């Protein structure tokens, strides 16, 4: 399931927003615990999912990009009509579905492959299963050595973040690479960047169809259930939904839908026989918020911050060096160098960073066979992108140095190169330092974008842990504090340099 | 020692120098005067090779540079001249000492210690021995210009070129720079000086050149050019500067 890209882009901002929102408690959910009457009055059920989830759940078919299809779409529509209500789809960021449901207001239920796990049951009401899935291990066809999770100790396994797959792969001692949607790990597996993927069987089912390089490694195991989520305590709605699911199963509607998508299996019989074993009545007690357990979460976040720091610093080093070359080409170079520099800056400033990241990480690997590691792709992309900014900063700096400086240096017999190195560059750097510092601090925050190619840096770790702990506020404050400290350290360093330059 | 013949220079359609001739012996001081825009700066800049003349030759101590001179020869000519600008153009990121030793160390290949000793001597000479560790921004205009003079002297040029060295200074700051100029002239330095300071010109010039329309319209000893100018344009110009 793909949480929206927006989140990755603006995650540090989101952290602060969540923090601020956290100061204003949402209306307590018990006040509207019984929503059935409201729903029947309105005549419509708003069900939420993330359209980026992909096949077979919810996707835009290749032949008609305006339509939304998938087995969950059809199930949700069948469910609503069985409840006697109209169905209305609400697009929502997958990773935030549960917090969104708890907060209320945007949608009434969630039909989005949410697993019926103790963690989820502790936060929202969950229906009886509407789909039974297993964990499917996927490996490269050529790599016949991999047959089960046990053989994966020390090998790299791609999983979706905050899922059963992640937990099982971690427990098996594998080197876990966390993704936030379910297509890219198959690409990385094909490209040899990872050794296996552990995922839900429907995802494997669909993605293996057009990927001849990959194969199932063993049979599905560790059965799990997808269930409809409703606000906690909304028992009347839950009973109706449970009833409707059972009817849809018994009258063959579910089988028809799932068969259509190639997802029907004998395991689905559990939908009819399942009884509540009492997990819901006895939910796991959640640990007190993330804040209270700061001694657990802070080290985890700090470790992730190390990734943020090295990605940022390495990218900035590249941006500074390459930006300087571009600026010199722009200011002093011959016409072709000038044109190249102008075009470079415009292209990199004028296209989204995310697009560039995908281009470098997947585009180069698929079309040219340059399989960069996620870290290298992240540093390369951020570095090349920020080089455009730095080039402009240095250009402004170089152009701000008065012409007389060059003349004085040349008149003293200095060569053009010596003049540049000893006289112009130091002054230009001094002039551009404040803008470069700004960019450096911005890069700390922008580096969170690299989570989309599986690098767990600070923001990604925050999102994973906040979901685990069910505490966006406490962990958000900690994460924001770490970002603040990093940015503050960067500006302190810049101030020290500035003092050395302006004695 | 200096022999300039038929120097021509144009910028696009603007003809700036149209056949400048000039002769000067070692140890002499030549003062250039003339209305603004008549090409005085351009002339000095050609001598220093900040501009390249289109035609004509420049000879300094037997080294002849014509329009087709190679880079090495032009660099050598530049090494024989030192330039002091109206706006000083000190390097703001370097200290006073750093400004003076920059070229001896990085161009002349002098050791830092030797360059520092030389620089301190020159700074003392221009009366700034106690300002070596300052930055240009911490100095007055007159002090900055004196540092610029020390900086030019540090490369031991055979000819010193001054382009209106006191014009951007407040009147009360000019004296200290004029004193240094007088000292240098008294030492027997070969100097070309563009200035509006007629008193200075009278005192130190061996010859005064009046520039007009890209040529030397009139030249001679100061007593003659100031006392009894031949050219009507010179008279007109001198009337303007006296009033
Ligand atoms: N780099 C240049 N490009 C174009 N025109 C110039 C340039 N330098 C000087 N000029 C022109 O040449 C003429 C002479 O300038 P200059 O030598 O500075 O005169 P002066 O120093 O006698 O006042 C002026 O008309 C000026 O505008
Ligand atoms: Mg001038």
């Amino acid at each position: 399931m793909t949480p929206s890209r927006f989140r990755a882009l603006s995650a540090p901002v989101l952290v602060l927003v969540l923090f601020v929102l956290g100061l204003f408690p949402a209306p307590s959910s018990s006040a509207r615990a019984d929503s059935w009457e409201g729903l029947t009055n309105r005549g419509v059920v708003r069900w939420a999912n993330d359209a980026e989830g992909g096949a077979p759940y919810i996707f835009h078919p290749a032949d008609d990009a305006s339509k939304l299809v998938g087995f969950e779409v059809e199930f949700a529509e069948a469910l609503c009509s069985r409840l006697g209500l109209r169905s209305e789809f609400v697009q929502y960021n997958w990773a935030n579905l549960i917090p969104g449901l708890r907060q209320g207001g945007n949608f009434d239920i969630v039909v989005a492959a949410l697993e019926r796990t103790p963690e989820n049951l502790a936060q929202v009401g969950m229906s009886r299963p509407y789909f039974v899935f297993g964990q499917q291990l996927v490996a490269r066809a050529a790599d016949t050595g991999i047959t089960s999770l046990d053989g994966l100790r020390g090998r790299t396994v791609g999983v979706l973040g905050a899922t059963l797959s992640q937990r099982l792969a971690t427990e098996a001692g594998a080197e876990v690479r966390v993704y936030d949607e379910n297509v890219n790990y198959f690409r990385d597996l094909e490209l040899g960047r990872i050794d296996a993927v552990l995922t839900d069987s429907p995802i494997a089912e669909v993605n293996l169809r057009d990927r001849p390089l990959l194969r199932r490694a063993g049979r599905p195991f560790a059965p799990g259930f997808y269930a409809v989520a409703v606000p906690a305590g909304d028992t009347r709605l839950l009973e109706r939904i449970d009833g409707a699911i059972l009817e849809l199963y018994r009258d063959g509607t579910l089988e028809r839908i799932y068969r259509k998508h190639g997802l029907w299996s004998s395991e689905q019989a559990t939908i009819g026989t399942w009884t509540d074993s009492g997990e819901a009545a006895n939910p796991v007690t959640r640990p007190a918020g993330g804040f209270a357990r700061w001694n657990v979460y802070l080290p985890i976040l700090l470790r992730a911050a190390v990734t943020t720091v090295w990605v940022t610093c390495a990218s900035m080093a590249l941006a500074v060096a390459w930006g300087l070359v571009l600026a010199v080409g722009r200011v002093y170079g011959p016409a072709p160098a000038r044109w190249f520099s102008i075009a470079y800056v415009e292209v990199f400033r004028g296209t989204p960073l995310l697009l560039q990241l995908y281009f470098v990480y997947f585009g180069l690997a698929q079309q040219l066979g340059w399989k960069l590691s996620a870290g290298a792709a992240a540093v390369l992309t951020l570095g090349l992108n920020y080089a455009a900014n730095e080039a402009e900063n240095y250009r402004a700096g170089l152009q701000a140095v008065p012409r007389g400086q060059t003349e004085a240096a040349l008149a003293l017999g200095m060569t053009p190169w010596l003049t540049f190195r000893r006289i112009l560059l130091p002054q230009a750097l001094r002039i551009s330092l404040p803008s470069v510092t700004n960019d450096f601090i911005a890069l700390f925050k922008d580096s969170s974008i690299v989570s989309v190619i599986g690098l767990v840096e600070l923001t990604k770790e925050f999102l994973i842990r906040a979901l685990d702990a069910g505490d966006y506020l406490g962990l958000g404050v900690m994460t924001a504090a770490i970002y603040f400290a990093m940015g503050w350290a960067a500006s302190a360093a810049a101030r020290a340099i500035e003092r050395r330059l302006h004695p | 020692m200096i022999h300039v013949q038929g120097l021509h220079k144009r910028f696009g359609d603007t003809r700036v120098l149209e056949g400048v001739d000039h002769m000067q012996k070692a140890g002499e001081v030549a003062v250039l005067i003339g209305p603004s825009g008549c090409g005085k700066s351009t002339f000095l800049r050609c001598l220093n090779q900040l501009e390249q003349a289109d035609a004509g030759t420049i000879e300094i101590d037997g080294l002849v540079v014509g329009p087709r001179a190679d880079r090495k020869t032009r660099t050598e000519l530049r090494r024989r001249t030192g330039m002091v600008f109206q706006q000083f153009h000190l390097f703001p990121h370097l200290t006073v000492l750093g400004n003076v030793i920059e070229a001896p160390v990085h161009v002349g290949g002098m050791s830092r210690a030797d360059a520092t000793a030389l620089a301190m001597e020159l700074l003392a000479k221009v009366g700034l021995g106690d300002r070596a560790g300052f930055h240009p921004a911490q100095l007055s205009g007159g002090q900055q210009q004196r540092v610029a003079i020390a900086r030019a002297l540090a490369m031991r040029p055979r000819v010193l070129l001054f382009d209106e060295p006191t014009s951007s200074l407040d009147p009360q700051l000019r004296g200290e720079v004029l004193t240094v100029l007088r000292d240098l002239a008294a030492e027997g330095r070969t100097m070309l000086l563009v200035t509006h300071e007629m008193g200075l010109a009278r005192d130190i010039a061996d010859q005064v050149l009046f520039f007009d329309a890209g040529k030397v319209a009139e030249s001679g000893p100061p007593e003659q050019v100031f006392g009894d100018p031949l050219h009507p344009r010179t008279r007109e110009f001198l009337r303007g500067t006296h009033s």
Side-chain angles (χ1 to χ4, degrees):
Chain A
M1 309 263 89
T2 312
S4 110
R5 302 292 180 255
F6 170 79
R7 192 206 51 185
L9 273 172
S10 60
V13 179
L14 185 72
V15 169
L16 280 174
V17 170
L18 287 168
F19 172 57
V20 172
L21 290 179
L23 299 176
F24 306 98
S28 96
S29 44
S30 60
R32 30 168 200 86
D34 191 354
S35 58
W36 179 246
E37 212 165 290
L39 290 181
T40 45
N41 286 343
R42 250 191 298 131
V44 67
V45 183
R46 296 169 303 170
W47 63 277
N49 198 334
D50 190 335
E52 284 187 68
Y57 300 88
I58 177 166
F59 59 102
H60 300 285
D63 54 355
D64 184 358
S66 67
K67 269 202 321 220
L68 205 52
V69 300
F71 83 85
E72 291 204 306
V73 178
E74 288 179 47
F75 163 68
E77 281 165 359
L79 176 69
C80 294
S81 88
R82 190 59 54 110
L83 293 170
L85 298 166
R86 275 183 298 116
S87 134
E88 183 185 315
F89 166 68
V90 174
Q91 165 64 35
Y92 211 73
N93 188 333
W94 191 76
N96 298 333
L97 281 168
I98 288 185
L101 180 64
R102 283 165 65 84
Q103 209 148 307
N106 292 315
F107 48 85
D108 307 306
I109 62 173
V110 179
V111 183
L114 289 184
E115 298 173 20
R116 201 185 146 89
T117 58
E119 287 81 8
N120 285 342
L121 284 163
Q123 303 202 58
V124 291
M126 298 216 88
S127 72
R128 63 182 302 123
Y130 63 85
F131 188 84
V132 182
F133 68 97
Q135 294 292 312
Q136 177 67 57
L137 190 64
V138 180
R140 274 185 298 281
D143 195 354
T144 48
I146 296 175
T147 50
S148 75
L149 203 52
D150 303 329
L152 285 175
R153 181 165 295 280
R155 312 216 33 194
T156 312
V157 180
V159 296
L160 202 58
T163 58
L164 179 61
S165 317
Q166 182 182 5
R167 206 176 77 211
L168 292 174
T170 309
E171 282 168 6
E175 182 85 33
V176 175
R177 275 276 298 280
V178 179
Y179 291 74
D180 61 6
E181 46 71 73
N182 54 39
V183 176
N184 289 337
Y185 47 32
F186 291 112
R187 287 196 190 124
D188 277 354
L189 181 58
E190 286 177 317
L191 291 167
R193 282 179 175 138
I194 56 178
D195 299 313
V197 164
L198 186 64
T199 188
D200 295 0
S201 45
I203 300 174
E205 191 61 47
V206 166
N207 280 281
L208 282 174
R209 280 177 203 157
D210 52 357
R211 295 183 191 275
L213 292 177
L214 305 183
R215 66 176 173 86
R216 287 177 196 77
R219 292 191 39 76
F221 59 98
F225 308 119
Y226 294 149
V228 178
V230 303
D234 200 341
T235 34
R236 197 136 70 106
L237 176 59
L238 201 55
E239 276 165 17
R240 305 257 169 182
I241 290 175
D242 280 347
I245 291 173
L246 206 54
E247 282 177 39
L248 290 171
Y249 172 75
R250 290 197 176 132
D251 72 8
T253 307
L254 289 186
E255 179 170 352
R256 186 178 51 74
I257 294 173
Y258 297 166
R259 270 195 197 286
K260 186 171 149 195
H261 292 274
L263 296 170
W264 185 257
S265 58
S266 54
E267 285 92 41
Q268 302 305 335
T270 314
I271 301 170
T273 58
W274 182 89
T275 51
D276 191 342
S277 58
E279 325 123 275
N282 194 10
V284 284
T285 40
R286 283 201 151 259
F291 223 26
R293 298 209 303 149
W294 64 270
N295 55 336
V296 176
Y297 286 115
L298 195 57
I300 292 174
L301 291 172
L302 285 173
R303 256 198 307 282
V306 172
T307 305
T308 294
V309 169
W310 80 251
V311 167
T312 302
C313 291
S315 307
M316 195 65 194
L318 174 61
V320 162
W322 179 224
L324 194 57
V325 172
L326 290 167
V328 170
R330 172 81 184 265
V331 179
Y332 303 111
R338 223 160 47 235
W339 295 331
F340 172 78
S341 173
I342 293 170
Y344 182 95
V345 168
E346 293 310 326
V347 167
F348 273 86
R349 278 199 313 201
T351 56
L353 184 53
L354 186 71
L355 194 71
Q356 294 164 14
L357 187 61
Y358 274 118
F359 183 87
V360 168
Y361 187 61
F362 293 115
L364 295 184
Q366 287 175 337
Q367 311 311 328
L368 302 174
W370 297 351
K371 295 175 194 171
L372 297 172
S373 71
V379 169
L380 188 63
T381 311
L382 287 170
L384 292 180
N385 180 281
Y386 267 66
N389 291 347
E390 298 327 297
E392 285 299 280
N393 290 340
Y394 300 138
R395 179 172 75 92
L398 285 170
Q399 288 176 341
V401 178
R403 172 91 193 127
Q405 292 291 308
T406 310
E407 298 200 333
L410 293 176
L412 285 168
M414 298 175 79
T415 58
W417 164 241
L418 202 58
T419 302
F420 172 73
R421 188 167 65 79
R422 299 274 318 162
I423 306 301
L424 302 181
L425 188 59
Q427 296 187 54
L429 291 182
R430 190 162 70 167
I431 296 167
S432 42
L433 187 64
S435 327
V436 175
T437 308
N438 259 345
D439 283 350
F440 189 41
I441 294 167
L443 185 52
F444 269 104
K445 296 176 285 174
D446 271 2
S447 67
S448 65
I449 197 177
V450 305
S451 64
V452 302
I453 55 171
L455 224 51
V456 180
E457 42 61 70
L458 182 52
T459 296
K460 180 69 185 172
E461 190 72 70
F462 157 71
L463 289 165
I464 294 171
R465 302 298 170 171
L467 204 64
D468 278 358
D471 180 10
Y472 283 86
L473 175 60
L475 290 176
V477 171
M478 275 187 249
T479 306
I482 296 173
Y483 270 112
F484 176 78
M486 292 189 299
W488 184 84
S491 18
R495 275 196 302 275
I497 294 172
E498 218 161 334
R499 264 198 305 281
R500 270 195 52 195
L501 292 177
H502 294 265
Chain B
M1 186 221 190
I2 303 177
H3 190 187
V4 178
Q5 274 185 300
L7 212 60
H8 282 77
K9 175 71 187 173
R10 56 195 279 180
F11 295 106
D13 290 338
T14 329
R15 295 167 189 281
V16 181
L17 302 182
E18 297 192 86
V20 176
D21 299 311
H22 175 58
M23 285 265 266
Q24 188 176 345
K25 292 204 198 69
E28 278 188 356
V29 175
V31 169
L32 278 57
I33 59 173
S36 164
C38 68
K40 304 180 298 293
S41 297
T42 306
F43 178 56
L44 290 195
R45 292 163 61 85
C46 285
L47 294 182
N48 181 254
Q49 294 295 304
L50 279 175
E51 303 288 359
Q52 231 179 312
D54 304 321
T57 56
I58 300 165
E59 180 186 339
I60 294 178
D61 267 354
L63 181 76
V64 182
V65 172
R68 269 175 298 279
D70 59 18
R71 205 189 151 114
K72 219 178 120 220
T73 319
R74 299 202 288 113
T75 308
E76 178 54 27
L77 185 78
R78 177 174 282 170
R79 290 288 297 273
R80 292 185 181 197
T81 57
M83 184 92 162
V84 175
F85 302 87
Q86 181 178 343
Q87 304 290 345
F88 335 135
H89 299 325
L90 290 184
F91 306 133
H93 59 300
L94 301 177
T95 59
V96 164
L97 181 66
N99 268 271
V100 181
I101 67 171
E102 179 70 17
V105 170
H106 293 282
V107 180
M110 206 185 260
S111 78
R112 251 192 132 66
D114 290 351
T116 304
L118 170 68
M120 292 313 293
E121 193 182 304
L122 293 170
L123 287 171
K125 184 191 181 91
V126 299
L128 291 171
D130 56 345
R131 293 288 187 273
F134 285 52
H135 273 81
Q138 298 167 302
L139 303 183
S140 72
Q143 291 173 324
Q144 291 191 46
Q145 190 61 299
R146 287 185 280 151
V147 174
I149 293 171
R151 181 175 70 175
L153 289 172
M155 286 304 280
R156 303 195 165 118
R158 302 185 194 200
V159 177
L160 284 169
L161 310 172
F162 296 88
D163 192 357
E164 305 197 33
T166 57
S167 293
S168 59
L169 299 176
D170 292 340
Q172 65 271 23
L173 294 177
R174 288 181 187 163
E176 58 194 61
V177 175
L178 294 177
T179 307
V180 172
L181 293 173
R182 284 176 207 277
D183 290 349
L184 292 172
E187 276 176 19
R189 302 258 180 186
T190 311
M191 297 161 52
L192 271 101
L193 170 66
V194 177
T195 187
H196 297 298
E197 298 281 342
M198 294 308 163
L200 177 74
R202 234 181 269 278
D203 294 348
I204 68 170
D206 296 293
Q207 53 172 318
V208 175
L209 313 184
F210 177 70
F211 264 62
D212 187 51
K215 282 200 173 94
V216 180
E218 173 170 6
S219 72
E223 310 79 52
Q224 186 247 302
V225 175
F226 292 133
D228 182 20
L230 299 173
H231 205 284
R233 298 276 295 166
T234 319
R235 266 178 231 171
E236 195 184 321
F237 173 74
L238 289 173
R239 256 202 311 281
T241 57
H242 284 303
S243 61

